[in-house]
Amino acid sequence: MLRVHFTAEDLFNVTFASEPMPLVELCMALVAAQRTDEQAVFGRWRSLVARELPGRALPLFDLLRPDGDNPEFVEPCSRSLEEGLADIRGSAPLLTPDMFHRAAARAPGSASWLRALWDLDREAWDQLDSALRVSYEVLVAPHWARIRQSFQADVAWRTRLLAAHGIKACLASTHPAADWSGTAFEVGRPPDYEVHLGGRGLILMPSPFWTGRPLLAGHPSGAHLLLYPALTPLPLSVPGPAAGALDALLGRTRAAVLQSLVQQRTTSELARDLGISLPSASEHTRTLRAAGLITTERDGKAVLHSTTALGVDLLHSGG
């Protein structure tokens, strides 16, 4: 379970990151490529990655594992690729034996390359630099406009949610298993991680690649960074100018699902009316429900979905 303890000062010191960070998004993309969840959304994208990612990038899979609980030095909070790569190089003397043993225990293959990294072998660090560069050119650079669009749309929506319903509703919307226990924010999913913010505050960062429970990391400012799945994952983001505000926020299909659920519908009816598969319809309703935009109830064997008041409000504000 993730458990984050807030002081009164922390509750007033929750902010959003100003922009996505290239190395963070790259690492999340490499993690997403190895995961097996949300296949309706990410399945085709993962198949493309498997075909297009060069062999030079493969050592990164020994360092970055599917649960996202990875060494922080390889995903610095830097504003550009070059700045981030320099920060990674600069972190080399700070790597500890404990960090190595943890990374080696999680690696799917031999730990010899990781050992060379921790031993500050120049060839190993050059290999890391090359792997990150080639991965960035395939996974992030061609899609940066869509990554920014997903990021900005999520921040815009959650800022509105924060203003209308408060910080607890805003954070609870980041994951279906998220809830509050007093002044502790909890997400009932592994791995176990507990932190006391201690007045240092929290920075929220949506990622269009990440699909798991929110992740916690340090930030150069001294605050903690909470990385969570963006409302619109990358495969659903609009590749060009969006047709409307809701398309930019949710993606065209998910916006159509929300609009359709002004009238109560089953998952099968949604799939039929919108011309999408049942798994895709289920995935869209799950995400909209987690965001508080629709509600789901059972009527015998039927599962019925309909928009909430918040969903209707979003439809009105988005035209």
Side-chain angles (χ1 to χ4, degrees):
M1 172 182 286
L2 170 68
R3 183 178 289 112
V4 183
H5 296 272
F6 285 74
T7 65
E9 183 178 357
D10 292 312
L11 290 171
F12 290 106
N13 195 20
V14 176
T15 60
F16 289 94
S18 59
E19 59 185 349
M21 299 174 186
L23 265 297
V24 173
E25 294 305 333
L26 173 58
C27 290
M28 289 299 99
L30 288 163
V31 165
Q34 301 173 74
R35 293 175 65 87
T36 57
D37 59 338
E38 300 201 17
Q39 281 294 99
V41 175
F42 277 89
R44 184 181 177 190
W45 177 85
R46 288 176 180 135
S47 297
L48 288 172
V49 170
R51 292 198 301 268
E52 296 178 0
L53 197 63
R56 280 187 294 158
L58 297 183
L60 294 173
F61 292 147
D62 288 335
L63 194 59
L64 300 165
R65 304 305 302 138
D67 64 4
D69 188 24
N70 296 309
E72 290 187 22
F73 82 91
V74 79
E75 46 187 26
C77 297
S78 308
R79 294 180 180 273
S80 71
L81 174 65
E82 294 302 328
E83 180 185 333
L85 292 173
D87 288 342
I88 290 174
R89 285 272 188 176
S91 69
L94 305 178
L95 303 187
T96 66
D98 286 346
M99 293 168 62
F100 165 73
H101 291 307
R102 186 171 185 277
R106 290 159 51 83
S110 168
S112 58
W113 178 69
L114 295 177
R115 167 58 73 186
L117 278 181
W118 260 259
D119 287 343
L120 307 185
D121 177 78
R122 182 173 179 176
E123 183 178 344
W125 280 86
D126 287 344
Q127 189 177 3
L128 174 61
D129 186 278
S130 175
L132 290 169
R133 287 180 185 276
V134 72
S135 300
Y136 182 83
E137 290 304 316
V138 172
L139 300 180
V140 175
H143 311 295
W144 189 246
R146 294 167 63 196
I147 291 169
R148 286 178 58 85
Q149 183 185 69
S150 175
F151 175 93
Q152 292 167 350
D154 187 280
V155 170
W157 180 75
R158 287 187 208 278
T159 299
R160 182 186 176 110
L161 182 63
L162 176 64
H165 299 279
I167 185 59
K168 288 194 171 184
C170 179
L171 283 175
S173 72
T174 60
H175 193 273
D179 205 350
W180 286 82
S181 177
T183 57
F185 172 66
E186 298 179 340
V187 186
R189 294 288 187 275
D192 293 335
Y193 199 92
E194 185 165 7
V195 69
H196 293 260
L197 296 180
R200 290 167 291 178
L202 189 67
I203 299 172
L204 306 183
M205 173 174 283
S207 170
F209 290 108
W210 179 233
T211 60
R213 67 109 160 121
L215 301 172
L216 206 60
H219 188 270
S221 67
H224 282 82
L225 184 76
L226 189 77
L227 188 143
Y228 61 89
L231 192 59
T232 307
L234 186 79
L236 297 183
S237 63
V238 182
L246 278 184
D247 289 353
L249 174 62
L250 302 176
R252 288 195 179 101
T253 302
R254 193 170 291 169
V257 169
L258 182 62
Q259 179 68 59
S260 180
L261 290 180
V262 170
Q263 295 183 345
Q264 195 174 59
R265 280 177 167 81
T266 66
T267 309
S268 297
E269 288 171 337
L270 266 179
R272 181 197 65 208
D273 294 347
L274 298 180
I276 59 178
S277 68
L278 272 173
S280 179
S282 297
E283 184 63 33
H284 288 308
T285 55
R286 184 195 68 77
T287 302
L288 291 171
R289 183 169 58 251
L293 298 178
I294 70 168
T295 185
T296 300
E297 60 186 45
R298 286 194 172 273
D299 182 12
K301 293 184 178 180
V303 178
L304 301 172
H305 311 284
S306 57
T307 55
T308 61
L310 182 61
V312 172
D313 185 38
L314 182 63
L315 287 168
H316 283 310
S317 65

